């Protein structure tokens, strides 16, 4: 999602959570982070201060747990005071940064008992946000399409970007899905490295002593995937135009 956000060139007001790390390169997907719960209010204030000049240029991102803690009242304010920004709830189905605690939108209490599950989309509508979308942030094309679409709309929009934290995946599910790069197909364009996945690294021909490609004289190296870190999210494969990233047997 932050990779796609960076491509929109919008100003992204962020919040407190593991996703705050997206301010760093190569994602560079967040421009400010003031304090817990500030993202929506800051984005709303920017949209008001910029007026028509800010149209399509302001986004506020907040995590699911942080939103419940201190984002609901500010989202209500954006509807009440007719903000013109896009607000995103990064819904990873847990409170990841502080140790994977349940929260009111996971459907379980802290004791692990089944309970009522807060519906972010329904809540957004009730608060007065007319345009509410739910996306899978691991679908790059769709995420980009919805971001562009909502940035163009009048008034506040809410996007619920929903994908469970990778730490919630079972070991078996992770092991069944790992990707690798085909060194013969890789042209060394580094596009896959720009998605910021720690499983992907660069092998420089000169530094590693790997044989260079006589047929591709400008190529300096190849991308490689560490199978022990890959969760099989498919994002890098969606970005590689050479179809050099694949799974075993595909
Ligand atoms: S995007 Fe594809 S071709 Fe480019 S470096 Fe990555 S694997 Fe190689
Ligand atoms: S599939 Fe996902 S986790 Fe695996 S290397 Fe690509 S981006 Fe990283």
């Amino acid at each position: 999602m932050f990779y796609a956000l960076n491509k929109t060139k919008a100003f992204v007001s962020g919040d407190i959570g593991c996703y705050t790390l997206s301010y760093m390169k190569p994602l560079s997907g967040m421009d400010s982070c003031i304090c817990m719960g500030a993202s929506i209010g800051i984005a709303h204030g920017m949209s008001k201060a910029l007026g028509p000049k800010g149209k399509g240029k302001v986004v506020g991102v907040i995590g699911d747990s942080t939103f419940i803690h201190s984002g609901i009242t500010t989202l209500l304010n954006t509807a009440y005071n007719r903000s013109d920004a896009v607000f995103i709830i990064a819904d990873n189905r847990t409170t990841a940064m502080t140790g994977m605690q349940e929260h009111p939108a996971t459907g379980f209490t802290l004791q692990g008992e089944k309970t009522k599950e807060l519906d972010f989309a329904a809540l957004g509508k009730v608060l007065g946000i007319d345009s509410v979308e739910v996306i899978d942030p691991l679908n790059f094309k769709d995420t980009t399409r919805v971001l562009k679409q909502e940035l163009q709309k009048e008034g506040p929009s809410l996007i619920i970007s929903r994908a469970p934290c990778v730490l919630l995946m079972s070991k078996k599910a992770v092991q069944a899905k790992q990707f690798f790069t085909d060194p013969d197909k890789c042209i060394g364009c580094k596009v896959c490295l720009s998605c910021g996945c720690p499983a992907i690294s660069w092998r420089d021909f000169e530094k590693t002593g790997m044989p260079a490609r006589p047929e591709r004289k400008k190529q300096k190296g190849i991308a490689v995937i560490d199978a022990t870190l890959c969760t099989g999210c498919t994002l890098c494969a969606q970005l590689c135009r050479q179809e050099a990233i694949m799974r075993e047997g595909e």
Side-chain angles (χ1 to χ4, degrees):
M1 185 189 76
F2 286 100
Y3 179 85
L5 266 176
N6 177 302
K7 301 277 171 213
T8 68
K9 306 284 179 219
F11 178 91
V12 180
S13 161
D15 223 294
I16 308 290
C18 39
Y19 53 99
T20 314
L21 294 170
S22 70
Y23 84 89
M24 291 195 292
K25 287 182 179 173
L27 289 174
S28 306
M30 190 179 283
D31 299 293
S32 73
C33 182
I34 308 295
C35 65
M36 192 164 177
S39 59
I40 297 178
I42 296 278
H44 170 67
M46 285 194 77
S47 123
K48 284 291 173 192
L50 291 169
K53 280 189 196 158
K55 174 97 203 99
K57 292 183 187 151
V58 184
V59 176
V61 180
I62 190 165
D64 45 352
S65 163
T66 310
F67 174 71
I68 293 163
H69 184 277
S70 46
I72 299 173
T73 46
T74 42
L75 190 66
L76 171 63
N77 183 48
T78 70
Y80 180 56
N81 281 308
R82 304 312 297 157
S83 183
D84 202 4
V86 172
F87 303 100
I88 301 175
I89 300 175
D91 180 10
N92 68 350
R93 318 301 299 150
T94 188
T95 316
M97 192 176 70
T98 50
M100 317 299 277
Q101 292 87 1
E102 303 290 350
H103 61 60
T106 65
F108 293 91
T109 66
L110 285 175
Q111 289 72 34
E113 290 158 4
K114 193 96 189 80
T115 187
K116 289 274 184 190
E117 183 178 328
L118 173 64
D119 181 337
F120 288 133
L123 177 66
K125 290 269 182 194
V126 165
L127 293 180
I129 311 287
D130 295 328
S131 187
V132 179
E133 294 278 346
V134 181
I135 58 165
D136 172 4
L138 296 176
N139 182 328
F140 177 61
K141 243 187 192 167
D142 213 38
T143 298
T144 306
R145 180 187 62 75
V146 172
L147 277 175
K148 282 186 184 161
Q149 166 194 299
E150 296 307 307
L151 280 165
Q152 279 165 10
K153 282 187 185 164
E154 293 292 326
S157 296
L158 177 66
I159 298 174
I160 296 132
S161 173
R162 183 171 293 146
C165 171
V166 289
L167 298 179
L168 291 175
M169 289 170 76
S170 72
K171 215 172 175 184
K172 205 171 159 195
V174 171
Q175 280 168 351
K177 290 175 159 184
Q178 286 143 347
F179 279 73
F180 67 93
T181 56
D182 181 338
D184 294 327
K185 284 189 178 174
C186 176
I187 60 165
C189 68
K190 295 189 176 178
V191 169
C192 57
L193 290 149
S194 62
C195 75
C197 175
I200 311 173
S201 59
W202 179 247
R203 290 285 182 281
D204 191 281
F205 290 150
E206 209 176 298
K207 285 182 191 158
T208 59
M210 283 174 81
R213 302 281 151 75
E215 72 281 15
R216 291 196 289 262
K217 287 196 175 69
K218 285 186 181 162
Q219 185 173 348
K220 303 277 186 232
I222 56 166
V224 291
I225 293 174
D226 181 342
T228 60
L229 293 177
C230 174
T231 63
C233 78
T234 79
L235 189 56
C236 59
Q238 291 174 56
L239 297 177
C240 178
R241 292 195 179 157
Q242 305 303 315
E243 296 183 351
I245 300 178
M246 59 203 79
R247 279 189 262 230
E248 210 63 61
E250 284 185 354

